[in-house]
């Protein structure tokens, strides 16, 4: 049977928002990100990172540079005991009209194929409205974190009944709450 996943945005959700980070030195874990991910890991769902990296398509940095940044995130998380099951990125610029740039669900479709994920029982946690829209597009539960850019969409999210959390630690509490509701 297919399993739920926790889909995670990267920039502004796991690491400090740096606007097109292109070098490993720019990578810094957000406060409470590792603690939140460790709490989320207790549910046993795989973590899947879904990250728009249009800096590649825009020519701001190369695939190799993007790989180096991602490797640094992976290294910092590993040091905190956090393992990401799968990393996906959309490398395209908006004008390329791809199917993987969030809020389009291409990356989640890849996870369904690669990891046998059931998106309708999954969560998407991110700091942008496109992350919330991505969740809605695949029937997952979206959670907006106000780290990164999240503050600007917080009011809209609350109005529409989307959970708004201050960081991944709070988001882990929201996931636990929602899972308990579903099992009640
Ligand atoms: Mg983000
Ligand atoms: Zn794409």
């Amino acid at each position: 049977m297919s399993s739920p996943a926790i889909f995670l945005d990267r920039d502004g959700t796991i690491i400090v928002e740096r606007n097109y980070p292109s070098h490993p030195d720019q990578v810094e874990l957000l406060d409470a990100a590792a603690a939140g991910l460790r709490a989320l890991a207790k549910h046993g769902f795989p973590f899947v990172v879904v990250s728009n990296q249009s800096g590649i398509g825009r020519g701001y940095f190369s695939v190799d540079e993007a790989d180096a940044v991602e490797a640094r995130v992976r290294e910092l998380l590993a040091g905190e005991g956090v393992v990401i099951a799968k990393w996906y990125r959309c490398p395209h610029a908006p004008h390329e009209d791809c199917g993987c740039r969030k809020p389009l669900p291409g990356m989640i479709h890849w996870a369904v194929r690669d990891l046998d994920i059931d998106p309708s029982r999954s969560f998407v946690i991110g700091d942008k409205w496109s992350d919330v829209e991505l969740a809605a597009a695949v029937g997952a539960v979206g959670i907006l974190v106000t780290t990164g850019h999240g503050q600007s969409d917080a009011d809209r999210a609350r109005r529409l009944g989307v959970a708004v959390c201050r960081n991944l630690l709070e988001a882990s509490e929201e996931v636990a709450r929602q899972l308990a509701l579903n099992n009640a």
Side-chain angles (χ1 to χ4, degrees), residues 77-148:
L77 288 176
E80 295 284 347
V82 174
V83 176
I84 304 292
K86 198 83 183 169
W87 298 74
Y88 297 109
R89 71 166 78 110
C90 164
H92 305 109
H95 71 261
E96 292 181 83
D97 285 330
C98 67
C100 46
R101 182 170 163 79
K102 297 183 289 185
L104 293 176
M107 290 189 278
I108 288 190
H109 292 160
W110 299 342
V112 167
R113 177 197 66 198
D114 296 343
L115 302 173
D116 195 20
I117 297 303
D118 177 358
S120 72
R121 292 189 294 137
S122 296
F123 294 84
V124 179
I125 308 174
D127 70 310
K128 279 193 177 170
W129 193 249
S130 56
D131 296 301
V132 172
E133 285 184 306
L134 173 66
V138 298
V141 172
I143 297 175
L144 186 79
V145 286
T146 55
T147 44

Side-chain angles (χ1 to χ4, degrees), residues 131-181:
D131 296 301
V132 172
E133 285 184 306
L134 173 66
V138 298
V141 172
I143 297 175
L144 186 79
V145 286
T146 55
T147 44
H149 295 286
Q151 199 61 51
S152 52
D153 289 313
D155 287 343
R156 169 154 64 154
R158 286 191 192 94
R159 268 203 310 278
L160 294 172
V162 174
V164 178
C165 297
R166 275 187 307 176
N167 53 42
L168 280 176
L169 189 56
E170 257 193 39
S172 74
E173 291 160 10
E174 176 64 21
V175 167
R177 197 182 67 79
Q178 296 212 18
L179 289 171
L181 280 176

